[in-house]
Amino acid sequence: MTTAHPNPSPGPAFARDQWYVAAWSSEVGRELLGRTVLGEPLALYRTEAGEPVVLADRCVHRRFPLSASGLDGDRVVCGYHGFTYDTTGTCVFVPGQKRVPRTARVSSYPVAEVDSMVWVWIGDPGLADPDTVPRAPHLAADGWVTVRGMEPIDADYGLLVDNLLDLSHETYLHGGYIGTPEVAETPITTEVDEAAGIVRVSRHMADAACPPFYARSTGIEGRIQRLQDIEYHAPCLYLLHSRISPAGQDSPAFLTEITYAITPSAPGKVYDFWAVSRNFAVDDDEVTTFLRDFNHTVVMQDVDALNLLQRALDSEPAGYQELSINIDTGGLAARRILARLAAGRAATS
């Protein structure tokens, strides 16, 4: 498959009636945290009972950021003039008068804490169903150790979706870390569930070089069987199920779950939440430190590349042609699904 696309749009309009990750659970505590999701400034904190709360990050009075303010029990006290809000966003105190204006309130957003991630719903609150949050149970499961982080990228979130659904770039962008020649050389298989909004891309390498990422964490010497199976749950959650074993045998098998939450911050900006989970060497602190530092380097290689790519795209003249080939099948399917979700259309058979 070779296709030219005039005026490509890797970044469709935002799908608002969806769950997005606003923070790792460990980031949300008794100090206010500011994030922007789908262009909406948010202030996050926990109640004294430990429940996450997400309010609009602007005081109704003079628009001072509530994330730069403080807490009095479970109430947010604006750091500028003292307007005070409860967990529903209702203003319960204003300075200098007893009567609180009827319109003195800020938005409170539906929130769900699942698998060590704090998810927020920016769209119609009546449609927010916590049971529809896509799952990544390995992030909080017994017997697994996870390292994680978040990097903001100055690029359209669609570019990050493209990046993660086409892992052939590992060979070139991440050589010496996670990339080997076999990744780019091995054909992919792609499955698309339009109704569920899920794209699956698999690349199975029976005999491949073992990159440092796996050689140093597993101790395998020589060549490996390397199985990569991607599940992308549009619009936000990406799972890469990675299975490593010595070439020619299925055991011992080392399972690594690579998780990304792809959260649009604003047009041309995206939060890249990343995590690496493993079920081996779980008590080895050196392996944990290595995977955290090594994967952070890999993530930053993507960050630098996507920042550069976005600047290049911004300078392109109107009408330029984008070329797509077989390795882009998953990314193109994701674009279709994201465009449909943004438009609020149901999947068609």
Side-chain angles (χ1 to χ4, degrees):
M1 177 190 73
T2 302
T3 308
H5 303 283
N7 298 314
S9 179
F14 298 145
R16 297 183 67 83
D17 289 326
Q18 300 289 327
W19 289 105
Y20 292 94
V21 173
W24 293 113
S25 291
S26 58
E27 295 182 283
V28 182
R30 292 291 293 162
E31 293 186 5
L32 288 147
L33 172 69
R35 287 277 154 82
T36 301
V37 175
L38 307 193
E40 300 285 339
L42 308 176
L44 295 82
Y45 69 99
R46 289 190 187 275
T47 65
E48 292 180 323
E51 295 299 316
V53 177
V54 181
L55 301 180
D57 191 22
R58 295 292 185 268
C59 179
V60 72
H61 177 230
R62 289 293 182 265
R63 312 304 292 167
F64 190 80
L66 295 180
S67 61
S69 302
L71 293 174
D72 179 7
D74 291 342
R75 296 174 172 179
V76 178
V77 181
C78 177
Y80 194 16
H81 293 103
F83 277 61
T84 302
Y85 303 89
D86 66 15
T87 58
T88 70
T90 301
C91 185
V92 295
F93 171 80
V94 299
Q97 62 186 58
K98 292 184 177 180
R99 187 183 69 83
V100 177
R102 180 177 53 82
T103 57
R105 62 176 300 114
V106 298
S107 295
S108 175
Y109 295 88
V111 60
E113 189 166 17
V114 181
D115 298 328
S116 76
M117 296 180 284
V118 176
W119 297 76
V120 65
W121 184 277
I122 301 297
D124 182 348
L127 300 177
D129 180 357
D131 290 338
T132 63
V133 172
R135 298 298 307 274
H138 51 272
L139 291 173
D142 292 338
W144 290 81
V145 174
T146 297
V147 296
R148 68 192 80 203
M150 189 279 284
E151 295 295 334
I153 307 177
D154 290 327
D156 190 278
Y157 85 105
L159 296 183
L160 181 55
V161 175
D162 279 352
N163 171 279
L164 294 172
L165 283 171
D166 173 20
L167 294 182
S168 68
H169 78 274
E170 289 182 347
T171 299
Y172 307 99
L173 188 59
H174 305 306
Y177 291 87
I178 58 176
T180 67
E182 293 81 11
V183 181
E185 293 168 357
T186 304
I188 62 169
T189 60
T190 305
E191 298 179 8
V192 182
D193 186 336
E194 292 279 354
I198 299 174
V199 179
R200 296 181 173 88
V201 179
S202 295
R203 179 181 273 107
H204 291 179
M205 295 158 274
D207 186 354
C210 188
F213 183 84
Y214 290 112
R216 291 181 57 183
S217 60
T218 67
I220 292 179
E221 297 180 358
R223 296 181 71 80
I224 59 171
Q225 175 179 253
R226 185 177 183 183
L227 310 181
Q228 294 179 329
D229 293 291
I230 295 168
E231 289 180 49
Y232 171 57
H233 298 255
C236 188
L237 187 66
Y238 170 100
L239 306 173
L240 169 58
H241 312 295
S242 177
R243 186 174 186 271
I244 303 296
S245 59
Q249 59 191 71
D250 293 330
S251 63
F254 298 88
L255 304 181
T256 306
E257 296 285 349
I258 313 295
T259 307
Y260 285 89
I262 308 165
T263 299
S265 172
K269 294 183 181 295
V270 61
Y271 293 127
D272 181 359
F273 293 90
W274 61 268
V276 178
S277 307
R278 71 183 192 279
N279 71 345
F280 57 90
V282 294
D283 297 321
D284 193 325
D285 291 340
E286 289 187 9
V287 171
T288 299
T289 299
F290 166 73
L291 288 176
R292 181 179 60 246
D293 295 346
F294 212 71
N295 200 70
H296 180 255
T297 298
V298 170
V299 169
M300 291 309 299
Q301 290 172 335
D302 280 333
V303 170
D304 292 341
L306 293 179
N307 285 343
L308 178 61
L309 176 58
Q310 185 65 65
R311 291 195 298 271
L313 291 174
D314 289 343
S315 68
E316 286 289 333
Y320 75 93
Q321 296 285 318
E322 180 188 66
L323 181 69
S324 294
I325 58 175
N326 288 334
I327 59 174
D328 302 304
T329 305
L332 294 175
R335 291 184 189 183
R336 293 195 305 271
I337 292 172
L338 289 171
R340 174 175 57 78
L341 292 177
R345 299 192 306 270
T348 56
S349 57

